[in-house]
Amino acid sequence: MNRSRFARIAPALVVLAALVGIWELVTRLAAVPEWLLPSPTVIVVEFAESLPQLAPHTARTLLEASVGYGAALVLAFVVAALIDQSGLARRALSPLLVTSQTIPIFALAPLLAIWFGFGITPKILIVALACFFPIAVSLAGGLRNADPDMQALVRSMGGSRRQVFSKVKLPSAIPALLSGMKIAASYSVIAAVIGEWVGASQGLGLYMLRASSSFQTARVFAVIAVIAVLSVAVFLAVDVVGRWIAPWIYVRTEEAQT
């Protein structure tokens, strides 16, 4: 991490450290029971003791989030391309795309568990449904806003519709696509946990429910911390992929900030 990037995140780290310090101080001075609100040090100790049990549950949730995210990315690309290339597909799919967001995941999760059981499949579907919309909408908007002059130039040089899409529209839509992918990345782990709450044999959601039902509050906080770290890790992974695919976007952004 270079100095400029550290300088940007330093204020957030200071605020986080201050909040954790206040939390620790209040729980100790007020003698708050651990089952009600454990202190950060108690949570850290609980995390260390539960790590052997947490590891397989974490791996399962991460697998569900990754596979579901990949499925959402592929489906969103296909739908966005259809909407961009076909007026009929645009009129048929756009209303359904918006309507899909009016159905809460909590309502679908029990149905998917009934239809597909308590294995990994319904969790992957829940993640895919949660991540599909932001990616599809962002990509479709990016394709629609491609430079019309560049499209006309390629057509005037004998370029086909496919070449206009691949040479002009898709490259110009990469920033919008990356934005949608980052938003979806922050949803992926949470969606997997929601699916595990409904019914699962393994995963952080199941582990959290078991800890909550036995009033192991420190363990619940430890799981929440793991979920937060996983969500940030997935987000950063998408950011790394974006820097590899389109490094010029990040160069322009960093130059503008400096």
Side-chain angles (χ1 to χ4, degrees):
M1 180 181 296
N2 57 41
R3 182 176 297 180
S4 61
R5 191 175 302 173
F6 178 77
R8 288 197 296 269
I9 67 172
L13 294 177
V14 171
V15 172
L16 179 61
L19 292 175
V20 172
I22 294 172
W23 180 359
E24 180 76 27
L25 187 63
V26 169
T27 53
R28 287 183 178 274
L29 294 179
V32 181
E34 290 185 4
W35 63 267
L36 182 62
L37 181 63
S39 66
T41 53
V42 172
I43 295 172
V44 171
V45 171
E46 179 63 35
F47 171 79
E49 294 176 351
S50 304
L51 191 57
Q53 302 172 8
L54 271 172
H57 291 283
T58 302
R60 180 59 174 266
T61 299
L62 187 59
L63 175 63
E64 296 164 353
S66 301
V67 176
Y69 184 86
L73 181 60
V74 173
L75 181 60
F77 184 88
V78 173
V79 171
L82 286 174
I83 290 175
D84 179 73
Q85 295 294 300
S86 171
L88 177 61
R90 186 183 307 112
R91 293 190 297 272
L93 296 177
S94 294
L96 297 178
L97 194 62
V98 176
T99 304
S100 67
Q101 292 307 290
T102 64
I103 304 174
I105 296 179
F106 274 111
L108 291 177
L111 294 175
L112 293 175
I114 293 172
W115 295 337
F116 299 100
F118 297 114
I120 194 173
T121 302
K123 287 74 175 178
I124 291 175
L125 291 175
I126 291 172
V127 174
L129 290 172
C131 297
F132 165 74
F133 181 79
I135 300 176
V137 170
S138 298
L139 179 56
L143 293 172
R144 184 175 60 251
N145 294 327
D147 188 350
D149 294 333
M150 288 296 296
Q151 297 180 54
L153 177 61
V154 173
R155 292 193 189 98
S156 68
M157 299 174 65
S160 64
R161 192 172 185 178
R162 180 179 299 178
Q163 288 174 322
V164 171
F165 179 83
S166 62
K167 303 297 183 182
V168 179
K169 287 192 169 186
L170 191 56
S172 68
I174 288 178
L177 172 62
L178 291 175
S179 298
M181 289 174 62
K182 289 179 181 180
I183 295 172
S186 63
Y187 294 164
S188 59
V189 177
I190 302 300
V193 171
I194 290 174
E196 292 163 355
W197 283 346
V198 176
S201 58
Q202 197 175 35
L204 291 175
L206 176 65
Y207 193 75
M208 180 187 293
L209 285 179
R210 290 174 176 174
S212 178
S213 62
S214 57
F215 292 95
Q216 294 176 306
T217 311
R219 184 168 296 183
V220 174
F221 274 100
V223 177
I224 292 173
V226 172
I227 293 171
V229 170
L230 284 182
S231 299
V232 173
V234 174
F235 182 91
L236 293 178
V238 173
D239 186 69
V240 170
V241 172
R243 290 178 180 272
W244 176 66
I245 294 176
W248 63 89
I249 299 173
Y250 293 87
V251 171
R252 288 201 302 264
T253 302
E254 291 171 358
E255 288 178 349
Q257 291 176 348
T258 56

